[in-house]
Amino acid sequence: MPQAPAIPQATRRQHDREIVALAVPAFGALVAEPLFVMADSAIVGHLGTAQLAGLGVASALLTTAVSVFVFLAYATTAAVSRRVGAGDLQAAIRQGMDGIWLALLLGAAVIAVVLPLAPGIVDVFGASATAAPYATTYLRISSLGIPPMLVVLAATGVLRGLQDTRTPLYVAVAGFVANAGLNAGLVYGAGLGIAGSAWGTVIAQSGMAVVYLTVVVRGAREHGASLRPDATGIRASAQAGAPLLVRTLSLRAILMIATAVAARLGDADIAAHQIVLSLWSLLAFALDAIAIAGQAIIGRYLGAGDAVGAREACRRMVQWGIATGVALGLLVVVARPLFLPLFTSDPVVKDTALPALLIVALSQPISGVVFVLDGVLMGAGDGPYLAGAMVVTLAVFAPVALLVPVFGGGLTALWGAMTLMMTVRMLTLWLRAGSGRWIVTGATR
């Protein structure tokens, strides 16, 4: 990013307050999301190995399906926050409703595919003969919860765009508590087994969607926004989300390639890789919280026509990203003797994971910049550039990662390739941020 005058102290403090106010609740909500799967696993695990294996396959499929549509949150946040900055709350909520209607349409399409094809999908993903029936049962029932899950994504984007990350935190925590209670009651109290776990999740997700819809509908009525589906608005939401879908699919491909390569390296390597990847994902939540703040803040500044404020906010958030990355990296180095025994007692797996963990620690400042600039460009509605940059990153990463088993280096080399991937992302995002081409002011991009 080109050299610019220092941000005045008063302005810096204002940015800091905004970032903290949005990022801290966002982090709490992000951490609550994976707890759904953990609660399901803990409860179903006591039914038997086959049931837990079936849950593992089905939940992985569901998580992938929902994560592909995360653009519903990102694109909606950017569009709504722009209109908030422009002072048009009616149009902001109307834009949010278009995203919610799109979520319902996509959810219905997913159900139409999953319900009849569930056995075949489970078979493709390699479930054993004993686990497959449980995976199919869980997948079919839980697919009914996909429309509510997608509504939750879109409605979360609406509230983030309205500069509200506290309500999503409260809803996520309440949803987790309800999910755990329903799962325990239906699995054991009602004797429904793995089907009870699936129904518990569907009910909890539906309850969360109802709460979100209640909040959004109340805001729509307060500001006179229409609740009816609008074909033009829904189409615009889909067009804004399409580049972010490409970005997400490219990132998923990178993670799948990394896991596939680790599996080829041997049992100890794939086990160590899963440990390192779980930590990497946890650290990403902290950095993604700043990115979410970036989406909301940048969109608002650009909607208000304040290009200078958008630049200053971007610079301050990059500083936050670097500082957070350094702190997380130091935490990984200090905590690694305590972290590894939580996952394995195998000394070979520990020895394999340790160098990779150090690479993850060293790369955290890079990750901090990547997540922040990713959020800034999303908030600016710069989806096409993000899609192209991620495709380029995938093209660089894939051959390097696939050559790791050929040239050796094991898991350490693979995570070196992961760091190369993050470095490429940082460079592409840094160049775009420095060019200023992402700064397009106005209520729409």
Side-chain angles (χ1 to χ4, degrees):
M1 213 176 283
Q3 191 67 30
I7 304 173
Q9 187 174 6
T11 303
R12 188 165 61 245
R13 287 176 178 171
Q14 177 188 345
H15 290 319
D16 289 347
R17 286 193 297 268
E18 288 184 333
I19 293 168
V20 170
L22 291 171
V24 172
F27 175 70
L30 289 169
V31 170
E33 291 174 9
L35 294 179
F36 273 79
V37 176
M38 291 178 62
D40 289 0
S41 299
I43 292 168
V44 171
H46 293 286
L47 292 174
T49 302
Q51 288 90 334
L52 184 58
L55 172 67
V57 172
S59 63
L61 289 168
L62 288 165
T63 301
T64 300
V66 173
S67 66
V68 163
F69 297 114
V70 73
F71 69 84
L72 288 167
Y74 295 158
T76 305
T77 298
V80 171
S81 61
R82 272 185 176 270
R83 286 160 176 78
V84 168
D88 192 347
L89 288 178
Q90 183 185 68
I93 296 175
R94 175 65 257 181
Q95 180 72 43
M97 286 304 305
D98 292 335
I100 290 173
W101 280 112
L102 176 61
L104 287 169
L105 292 173
L106 291 173
V110 173
I111 288 179
V113 172
V114 172
L115 277 180
L117 300 180
I121 296 172
V122 167
D123 185 60
V124 167
F125 277 79
S128 67
T130 54
Y134 297 111
T136 300
T137 296
Y138 190 93
L139 182 60
R140 275 182 165 156
I141 296 172
S142 291
S143 68
L144 301 176
I146 288 180
M149 291 179 192
L150 299 189
V151 167
V152 167
L153 284 177
T156 299
V158 176
L159 295 181
R160 289 173 180 170
L162 294 171
Q163 316 296 297
D164 176 11
T165 57
R166 289 183 178 274
T167 299
L169 170 61
Y170 300 148
V171 176
V173 171
F176 166 71
V177 173
N179 178 69
L182 287 165
N183 270 258
L186 294 174
V187 171
Y188 296 109
L192 296 180
I194 195 169
S197 176
W199 281 117
T201 300
V202 170
I203 295 170
Q205 292 285 354
S206 299
M208 292 171 65
V210 168
V211 173
Y212 274 119
L213 288 175
T214 300
V215 173
V216 174
V217 168
R218 185 186 300 127
R221 288 175 175 169
E222 180 181 345
H223 296 286
S226 173
L227 298 174
R228 295 179 180 178
D230 176 68
T232 301
I234 294 172
R235 192 181 308 114
S237 293
Q239 290 172 346
L244 297 181
L245 176 61
V246 173
R247 167 199 169 276
T248 300
L249 290 174
S250 299
L251 180 57
R252 297 295 301 184
I254 287 170
L255 297 177
M256 289 174 64
I257 289 170
T259 299
V261 170
R264 291 179 61 188
L265 296 175
D267 290 347
D269 291 271
I270 185 61
H273 176 72
Q274 290 303 316
I275 294 172
V276 177
L277 185 62
S278 67
L279 177 62
W280 187 78
S281 301
L282 179 61
L283 298 174
F285 285 134
L287 298 173
D288 202 27
I290 304 175
I292 288 169
Q295 293 171 30
I297 293 170
I298 293 298
R300 192 188 76 233
Y301 273 113
L302 293 178
D306 188 353
V308 174
R311 277 190 180 277
E312 290 179 344
C314 174
R315 288 177 56 214
R316 188 55 179 164
M317 280 182 281
V318 168
Q319 293 169 1
W320 268 81
I322 294 172
T324 304
V326 170
L328 292 175
L330 291 173
L331 182 61
V332 171
V333 172
V334 173
R336 72 188 188 282
L338 302 174
F339 177 76
L340 286 174
L342 294 176
F343 290 86
T344 182
S345 58
D346 188 332
V348 176
V349 175
K350 288 181 180 179
D351 290 343
T352 304
L354 185 58
L357 281 177
L358 292 176
I359 291 176
V360 168
L362 291 173
S363 67
Q364 284 308 292
I366 296 173
S367 297
V369 175
V370 168
F371 276 85
V372 166
L373 292 181
D374 208 37
V376 165
L377 297 185
M378 282 185 191
D382 204 12
Y385 182 84
L386 289 172
M390 189 60 80
V391 170
V392 169
T393 302
L394 172 61
V396 172
F397 170 79
V400 174
L402 293 173
L403 286 173
V404 167
V406 177
F407 291 101
L411 190 67
T412 303
L414 176 59
W415 275 92
M418 289 287 285
T419 301
L420 170 65
M421 177 270 293
M422 294 300 289
T423 303
V424 172
R425 288 187 69 188
M426 183 183 71
L427 291 175
T428 57
L429 296 173
W430 190 275
L431 289 172
R432 184 64 168 183
S435 72
R437 294 177 183 174
W438 56 278
I439 300 179
V440 179
T441 59
T444 58
R445 183 176 172 86

